[in-house]
């Protein structure tokens, strides 16, 4: 067994066979570690969805200010226990992991025909909360170009905006959580959610309700076997991954408190610059970075 | 068991629980299916690296015109059987899967200390082939903005360029294959390779030798358990995934012929526009797309 050395000592040895460096940039990490308390915003435990599955626990931060009706519907489903005994039904490579709540009547296997499931699961349609008015929100512009829109951050979220239209929306990046919908744009009900496990599919922006992001625990879910059916659906019930229990952090006594970095803070601006100009391993700084690479730091509160 | 319906019939039903659509856009797929033979370029079977592992077969296209010394070194390693009985040693979420050749002396377990491995594995250092002269190469510009550089395509590859410096380089996107290196920029030797399994880490561009891309079979490798050590390394030998055999397609009688779309063709320009302006599920077209989303179509020849 190789001895476990402290990371900074071990890294050059572990790197002897020459891997690329981690996404975690030391300088950005140093800025994050040194950021003052004022640079951090507490996340409301009522906005944290804690999902226990057969492969691990995924902690999701919901974004009520961007999709209020969807987030309210999801919280109601959580409180009613509807995600307990739900299933992960789809894993598509370089795209999404998707899961569904237990059907309303309770005991039907999810492998029954979806048109039957549909009648039982769907409550009233929700509004198409794919973008919102930018009025009253502080948008911090990214200093770098974006292929899709004007990119930046709002209230701790990766976002984009259309200044002329006065709208902004959450961007689809790795770990973004959205609400599945059928072809008509108002048919998502919050009972079927997905998270992105590939290159940020920004073409979904403004086409679907983004309701949050994974703060922790995406790894074992991103490593689930890819489904072999069309769109990465699992073929049968035995392949589906059980969701044992889903609660809001506010329902779990003693659950960890989480914080996100204030994206309007000087610390965050420094993080952005550090990620655009990585040092150490990097012989040439990119001098820029795309929105999905410029993730908002989050942490468990001390 | 749900009956297996043809995809076009099944999709609306399968979508009843409202997933987002596949990355595969029907219109782009139609353009690809209808593209004339002249829009396709045969891939030299001597540039196809066929890697059989414990979890599946990954087919990698090498790019000798971008990193000639590295690709020559890799082909020599393949022909010498050095990747046979190699190991996947690192899987870092939203980043890379990385594998190493068998140490030179042959029988040492890969779990021995890396400084010992290093002495045995490393041949002469290779030049830092991180970019190349754009002279004589046709660069097809992307019509869309890029956060990092001028983006486009060269000879069927996603690339970027610096017109003033007269250089261009392969971009780091999902499925890109690169050569691990140590901190000094000339220490990669081709015996340790990685492929990207997350959001395109374009900050690695021009910092590492890109040597190719995965054409098929990335899925079971992207779904491997993430390593729990620093940088996603597996902790011990039992976790490492065995590489059973690696050959060039030119060494395998009857191996499938592969083709890539000519990125200077009218068909490819249409694919780019279709991917930027998706229809069907999409109520709002993005009107743009980033380089990593604008993948070059590849196919097995009929």
């Amino acid at each position: 067994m190789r001895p476990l050395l402290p990371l900074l000592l071990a890294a050059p040895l572990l790197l002897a066979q020459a891997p690329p460096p981690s996404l975690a940039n030391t300088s950005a990490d140093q800025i994050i570690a040194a950021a003052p308390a004022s640079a951090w915003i507490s996340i409301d435990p009522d906005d944290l969805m804690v999902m226990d599955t057969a492969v691990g626990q995924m902690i999701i931060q919901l974004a009520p200010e961007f999709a209020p009706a969807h987030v309210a519907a999801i919280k109601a489903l959580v409180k009613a226990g509807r995600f307990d005994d739900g299933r992960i039904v789809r894993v598509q490579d370089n795209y999404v992991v998707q899961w569904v709540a237990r059907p309303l009547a309770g005991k039907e296997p999810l492998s029954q025909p979806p048109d039957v499931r549909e009648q039982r699961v769907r409550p009233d349609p929700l509004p198409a909360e794919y973008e919102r008015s930018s009025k009253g929100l502080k948008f911090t512009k990214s200093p770098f170009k974006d292929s899709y829109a004007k990119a930046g951050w709002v209230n701790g979220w990766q976002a984009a905006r259309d200044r002329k239209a006065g709208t902004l929306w959450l961007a689809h990046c790795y770990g973004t959580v959205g609400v599945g919908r059928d072809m008509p744009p108002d048919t998502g009900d919050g009972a079927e959610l997905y998270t992105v496990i590939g290159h940020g599919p920004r073409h979904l922006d403004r086409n679907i309700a983004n309701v949050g992001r994974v703060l922790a625990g995406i790894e074992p879910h991103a490593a689930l076997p890819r489904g072999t059916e069309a769109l990465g659906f699992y073929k049968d019930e035995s392949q589906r991954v059980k969701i044992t229990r889903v609660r809001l952090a506010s329902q779990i006594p003693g659950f960890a408190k989480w914080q996100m970095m204030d994206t309007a803070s000087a610390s965050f601006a420094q993080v952005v610059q550090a990620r655009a100009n990585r040092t150490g391993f990097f012989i040439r700084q990119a001098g820029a970075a795309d929105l999905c690479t410029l993730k908002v730091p989050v942490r468990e509160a001390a």
Side-chain angles (χ1 to χ4, degrees), chain A residues 135-206:
Chain A
K135 216 171 258 178
L137 291 182
K138 176 160 177 52
F139 183 83
T140 302
K141 275 186 281 188
S142 168
F144 311 120
K145 283 183 198 164
D146 184 81
S147 299
Y148 295 88
K150 291 291 172 195
W153 300 272
V154 174
N155 292 355
W157 295 88
Q158 288 157 301
R161 80 164 171 192
D162 182 336
R163 196 174 188 163
K164 212 164 136 189
T167 55
L168 54 78
W169 56 92
L170 294 186
H172 269 85
C173 295
Y174 198 95
T176 292
V177 175
V179 177
R181 68 162 170 89
D182 202 353
M183 296 295 276
D186 64 352
T187 52
D189 63 2
E192 184 144 356
L193 304 175
Y194 64 88
T195 188
V196 172
I197 58 158
H199 188 79
R202 297 277 308 279
H203 47 276
L204 288 174
D205 291 2
R206 290 192 279 179

Side-chain angles (χ1 to χ4, degrees), chain A residues 68-235:
Chain A
H70 281 81
V71 168
I74 291 165
K75 287 183 179 179
L77 289 167
V78 170
K79 287 175 180 166
R82 284 281 309 288
F83 284 106
D84 303 351
D85 202 28
R87 292 289 186 280
I88 296 172
V89 295
R90 176 193 187 193
V91 182
Q92 186 172 357
D93 195 60
N94 190 21
Y95 199 36
V96 294
V97 168
Q98 187 164 317
W99 61 94
V100 297
R102 190 168 34 84
L104 202 54
K107 297 297 175 196
E108 296 79 0
L110 287 167
S111 55
Q112 68 181 292
D115 50 338
V116 176
R117 288 165 55 201
E118 185 181 2
Q119 295 166 27
R120 297 182 184 272
V121 169
R122 184 166 297 161
D124 295 336
L126 294 166
E129 296 172 322
Y130 307 155
E131 59 187 333
R132 57 155 290 170
S133 164
S134 57
K135 216 171 258 178
L137 291 182
K138 176 160 177 52
F139 183 83
T140 302
K141 275 186 281 188
S142 168
F144 311 120
K145 283 183 198 164
D146 184 81
S147 299
Y148 295 88
K150 291 291 172 195
W153 300 272
V154 174
N155 292 355
W157 295 88
Q158 288 157 301
R161 80 164 171 192
D162 182 336
R163 196 174 188 163
K164 212 164 136 189
T167 55
L168 54 78
W169 56 92
L170 294 186
H172 269 85
C173 295
Y174 198 95
T176 292
V177 175
V179 177
R181 68 162 170 89
D182 202 353
M183 296 295 276
D186 64 352
T187 52
D189 63 2
E192 184 144 356
L193 304 175
Y194 64 88
T195 188
V196 172
I197 58 158
H199 188 79
R202 297 277 308 279
H203 47 276
L204 288 174
D205 291 2
R206 290 192 279 179
N207 279 289
I208 213 159
N210 276 347
V211 291
R213 65 182 164 203
V214 178
L215 300 188
I218 198 171
E219 296 86 351
H221 300 91
L224 285 171
R226 281 46 179 151
T228 53
E229 298 297 283
L231 309 176
F233 278 91
Y234 287 133
K235 189 166 181 178

